[in-house]
């Protein structure tokens, strides 16, 4: 089983790097992939290490309460700007085999870990290996039932279950373009041919240099920090942790991989899965609205004029706001601290007027933060839509027009090294 897992192809390098394997196949590659093509294709497409893509995948999986951020540094000064808590890290690097003796004898009870048993599935496997070990988040109906169903499985069987889980597979492959699918199939064909021709010694000599890029996950779960590498049989425990100090066990692992690269060679990236700031902003806004409602009632009970009522205050939310994702249930669930309620009840009209203005100023700040987060979500959706678009036909038409106008010939004459 170990060798079968390790032979699987790995993931996409950071950002949009296309290696020499991206061979252009004429004819079939010119026809855009249809929804039916993606649905019936048996492979998994490669996915770049882009937070926007991972955020969209998680949302379409049905996961709520988690957002993906890219980490530019592991230093404490930079980590201070990352939203908390951090539920897990996804590390992309050029894969090499780790010491098998570091792995657990078997996957511990209560820990959900799956092997990667399909080509290029490491992105979805890494995401599932994290979210299925985070307590208190909303997985969505499909993933929740999948987790419950596969919990008694071995890591290898969970990996096979992911391969056959059409819900996850279709979302993953929604980013597959025709060229991606053809190149993946070509890689499989070439790998099968190479395995028949290469001797064992030759594979040992060249296997490391031919290693691809791979996503692995680091997750705190069951009181321990885990390294989840889908190409290894079992998870690797990095040690016990306390409170929010689990990253201290992960940083040496990541830094040791980074030091293997030459200076100026960046072939890795680190993504963090954190609590979605929208959750806290929504709760803050709901509490603000409820406090305003309470102050409003106090004012109405104390004065007969309408000078201090909300009807005369422009641009103030006094109830649900669907454009900001605020529902009546959010407002009903908000609880005003007892001490704050007592303050409202003991305040004079002048004091209530001042409290009202402060709450209104606070609401404007909260709404600005909410709008920024919603704009960030929209930017992720726009980026994902661009990634899913088939640009091949447009590029072909553009090149055809340049050729008919003899522009390409002029360019080749001017730059002979391009020929």
């Amino acid at each position: 089983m170990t060798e079968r897992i390790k032979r699987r192809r790995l993931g996409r390098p950071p950002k949009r790097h296309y290696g020499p394997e991206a061979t252009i196949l004429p004819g079939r590659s010119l026809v855009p992939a249809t929804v039916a093509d993606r649905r019936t294709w048996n492979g998994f497409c490669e996915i770049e290490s882009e937070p926007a893509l991972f955020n969209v995948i998680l949302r379409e999986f049905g996961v709520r309460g988690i957002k993906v951020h890219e980490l530019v540094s592991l230093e404490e000064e930079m980590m201070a700007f990352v939203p908390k808590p951090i539920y897990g890290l996804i590390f992309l690097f050029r894969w090499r085999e780790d010491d098998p003796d570091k792995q657990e004898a078997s996957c511990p009870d209560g820990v959900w870990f799956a092997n990667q048993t399909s080509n290029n599935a490491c992105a979805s496997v890494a995401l599932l290996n994290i979210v299925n070990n985070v307590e208190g988040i909303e997985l969505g109906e499909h993933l929740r039932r999948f987790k419950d169903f596969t919990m008694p499985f071995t890591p290898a069987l969970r990996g096979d279950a992911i391969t056959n889980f059409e819900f996850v597979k279709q979302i993953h492959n929604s980013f597959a373009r025709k060229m991606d699918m053809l190149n993946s199939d070509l890689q499989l064909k070439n790998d099968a041919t190479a395995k028949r021709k290469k001797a064992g010694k030759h594979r040992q000599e060249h296997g490391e240099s031919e290693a691809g890029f791979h996503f692995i996950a680091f997750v705190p779960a069951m009181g321990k920090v885990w390294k989840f590498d889908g190409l290894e049989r079992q998870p690797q425990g990095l040690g016990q942790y306390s409170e929010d100090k689990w990253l201290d066990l992960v940083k040496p692992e990541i830094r040791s991989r980074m030091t293997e690269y030459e200076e100026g060679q960046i072939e890795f990236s680190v993504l963090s899965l954190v609590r979605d700031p929208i959750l806290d902003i929504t709760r803050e806004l709901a509490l603000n609205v409820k406090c305003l409602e309470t102050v409003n009632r106090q004012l109405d009970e104390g004065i007969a004029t309408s000078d201090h009522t909300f009807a005369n205050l422009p641009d103030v939310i006094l109830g649900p706001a669907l454009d900001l994702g605020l529902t009546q249930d959010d407002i009903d669930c908000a609880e005003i601290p007892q001490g704050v309620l007592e303050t409202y009840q003991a305040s004079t009209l002048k004091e209530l007027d001042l409290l009202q203005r402060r709450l209104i100023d606070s609401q404007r700040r909260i709404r600005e933060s909410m709008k920024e987060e919603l704009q960030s979500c929209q930017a992720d959706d726009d980026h994902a839509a661009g990634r899913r678009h088939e640009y091949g036909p447009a590029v072909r038409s553009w090149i055809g027009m340049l050729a008919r106008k003899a522009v390409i010939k002029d360019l080749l004459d001017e730059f002979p090294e391009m020929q």
Side-chain angles (χ1 to χ4, degrees), residues 196-251:
R196 289 195 297 267
K197 293 181 178 179
K198 287 183 178 180
K201 181 179 179 181
H202 186 68
R203 281 198 300 270
Q204 292 174 4
E205 290 175 352
H206 297 277
E208 186 173 348
S209 64
E210 294 176 353
F213 289 83
H214 180 50
F215 292 102
I216 64 174
F218 294 97
V219 189
M222 307 289 290
K224 205 169 183 179
V225 179
W226 302 94
K227 172 191 167 189
F228 289 154
D229 185 341
L231 297 183
E232 296 178 352
R233 285 183 62 89
Q234 301 293 345
Q236 182 183 139
L238 302 182
Q240 303 286 336
Y241 74 97
S242 59
E243 299 180 355
D244 297 329
K245 299 297 184 181
W246 71 271
L247 288 174
D248 293 340
L249 298 175
V250 175
K251 291 176 183 178

Side-chain angles (χ1 to χ4, degrees), residues 105-159:
S106 61
C107 188
D109 292 338
V111 172
W112 198 97
F113 168 69
N115 293 142
Q116 178 192 334
T117 60
S118 291
N119 297 6
N120 304 321
C122 52
S124 286
V125 171
L127 283 175
L128 293 176
N129 276 339
I130 293 178
V131 299
N132 282 334
N133 288 286
V134 178
E135 298 292 336
I137 65 168
E138 183 181 341
L139 286 177
E141 180 182 359
H142 293 281
L143 288 194
R144 179 180 51 79
R145 289 190 300 179
F146 178 76
K147 177 185 176 182
D148 293 341
F149 176 69
T150 57
M151 201 65 189
F153 290 9
T154 64
L157 287 177
R158 288 175 188 151

Side-chain angles (χ1 to χ4, degrees), residues 347-364:
S347 296
T348 64
L349 290 179
K350 186 176 181 180
E351 291 170 338
L352 287 171
D353 179 72
L354 181 60
L355 287 170
Q356 180 191 84
R357 296 180 188 279
R358 289 176 178 173
L359 287 169
I360 292 172
D361 290 340
S362 177
Q363 185 182 110
R364 293 194 179 103

Side-chain angles (χ1 to χ4, degrees), residues 300-317:
D300 286 343
E301 291 173 1
I303 59 176
T305 66
S306 61
D307 293 341
H308 295 284
T309 63
F310 292 109
N312 293 331
L313 296 174
D315 195 29
V316 177
I317 294 177

